[in-house]
Amino acid sequence: MTPPEGKAGGLRPDDPLPPPSDSSAAPATTSEGPTGAVEVVPDAARTVFGDRFGLAVRYVEMLSTAGVERGLIGPRETGRLWERHLLNSAVLAEAVPTRSASPGSDEAALEVVDVGSGAGLPGIPLALARPDLRVTLLEPMERRCRFLAEAVAELGLAGQVEVVRGRAPDVAELPPHRTFDVTVARAVAPLGRLGAVLLPMTRPGGVMLALRGSRILEELQAARSDLDSQGWREVNVMTCGAGLVDEPTRVLCATRSPQATQGDGGRGRRGADDRQARRTTQPRRPREGTRDRPARGRSRST
């Protein structure tokens, strides 16, 4: 039905015709979550994701709807998904080496594992920003794995991203004993424990990348001796996304020494093997009895 002449939404005979629509116009620069929170999409998102920007927009939509409904993302986070979550994760690409710079696997693509992936952060944004990587999303909870599998299928990433349900300590210890060029974790555990967990999963010469908060230097100071004893070398802090995001991402980077042992899977310090070695090399002190309770194997004279 044609609107009446002169009414809002109608055209008068002498009005100029509107310009033809452009189906190739850029996607909207705002996103809205179920709580009504509207977030302006940062300009840096187009730079970071390039021709995969549209996939990043779709992923944000999934996080702000199904992600919230399933309890993977807090409702208050929907107004800051781009800056706080997607870009914070995607700029990690700056710290991930290229195949030519990384020893280990002979495969063409560098293999990365996102440990405790949750809703896919940082693994999915990293995969979108770096199509040259093969990314494994490791997550122990079934409901989260279902969401991850749906996201991978929806975004068309099945050839690049794999979802694995399991615990980090089991990946390297149980068949098929998988290891990776790069192990990534986002605020999963204290650094000392995290280093012990990721070491068996990291190939000799491979890299651990731990996304941390503003206290990363204090955390590193407290954990440095543990990381060193576990076999991590070239331990340093890197900032990613400077000039792109308001608050750059802070990353602890460390390289696994080729001589590092498997460690104790996260039980801390020098590991169970070292503790057992100290027990067997130290002489045992004789057990002394008391007047009321003699030592085992001795009888009290009467």
Side-chain angles (χ1 to χ4, degrees):
M1 178 182 297
T2 303
E5 184 176 311
K7 298 292 185 180
L11 289 175
R12 296 180 178 178
D14 55 346
D15 285 341
L17 293 175
S21 60
D22 181 8
S23 59
S24 63
T29 56
T30 61
S31 58
E32 182 175 350
T35 61
V38 177
E39 180 183 15
V40 176
V41 180
D43 292 337
R46 300 180 186 276
T47 302
V48 171
F49 293 109
D51 58 3
R52 285 182 155 187
F53 172 71
L55 297 180
V57 171
R58 178 63 187 126
Y59 179 50
V60 168
E61 293 173 352
M62 295 188 69
L63 289 177
S64 63
T65 52
V68 173
E69 294 164 4
R70 301 185 191 184
L72 305 181
I73 293 290
R76 296 183 179 179
E77 295 298 306
T78 57
R80 50 184 181 179
L81 285 172
W82 283 102
E83 191 75 36
R84 184 180 177 89
H85 296 287
L86 257 74
L87 289 177
N88 176 269
S89 299
V91 296
L92 179 65
E94 298 176 11
V96 178
T98 59
R99 163 54 61 193
S100 60
S102 176
S105 173
D106 294 331
E107 297 181 14
L110 206 69
E111 292 192 81
V112 180
V113 60
D114 173 14
V115 177
S117 187
L121 301 163
I124 290 180
L126 179 61
L128 291 175
R130 286 282 301 271
D132 59 310
L133 304 176
R134 287 189 59 86
V135 178
T136 296
L137 307 177
L138 180 64
E139 171 56 46
M141 295 187 66
E142 183 179 0
R143 65 183 179 87
R144 293 176 179 172
C145 286
R146 285 199 298 266
F147 173 83
L148 292 174
E150 292 170 11
V152 169
E154 177 70 20
L155 301 177
L157 298 176
Q160 181 191 3
V161 180
E162 176 187 11
V163 178
V164 174
R165 184 185 177 193
R167 297 173 59 253
D170 298 335
V171 171
E173 295 176 6
L174 301 178
H177 306 290
R178 296 185 63 181
T179 57
F180 300 85
D181 300 295
V182 182
T183 51
V184 176
R186 186 178 189 233
V188 169
L191 285 178
R193 183 180 169 210
L194 182 64
V197 170
L198 297 186
L199 185 78
M201 305 172 61
T202 309
R203 292 171 180 154
V207 178
M208 167 178 68
L209 300 176
L211 285 74
R212 313 302 288 189
S214 59
R215 299 183 59 189
I216 185 171
L217 294 178
E218 298 174 36
E219 293 184 63
L220 175 57
Q221 183 177 3
R224 187 176 287 278
S225 61
D226 282 350
L227 296 173
D228 182 69
S229 65
Q230 291 161 8
W232 294 106
R233 301 293 179 263
E234 302 176 30
V235 180
N236 62 85
V237 173
M238 178 179 181
T239 56
C240 302
L244 288 173
V245 293
D246 292 338
E247 185 175 354
T249 301
R250 302 171 182 87
V251 184
L252 177 120
C253 309
T255 301
R256 176 178 169 168
S257 168
Q259 290 77 37
T261 59
Q262 292 297 313
D264 66 348
R267 288 184 288 274
R269 297 295 173 183
R270 293 181 178 273
D273 294 340
D274 292 340
R275 288 196 293 272
Q276 181 62 29
R278 288 198 296 273
R279 284 197 207 83
T280 56
T281 56
Q282 292 177 356
R284 299 184 63 181
R285 298 176 59 186
R287 183 175 179 179
E288 298 179 357
T290 64
R291 180 178 178 181
D292 296 328
R293 186 178 182 182
R296 184 178 300 175
R298 299 181 186 177
S299 61
R300 183 167 51 194
S301 61
T302 57

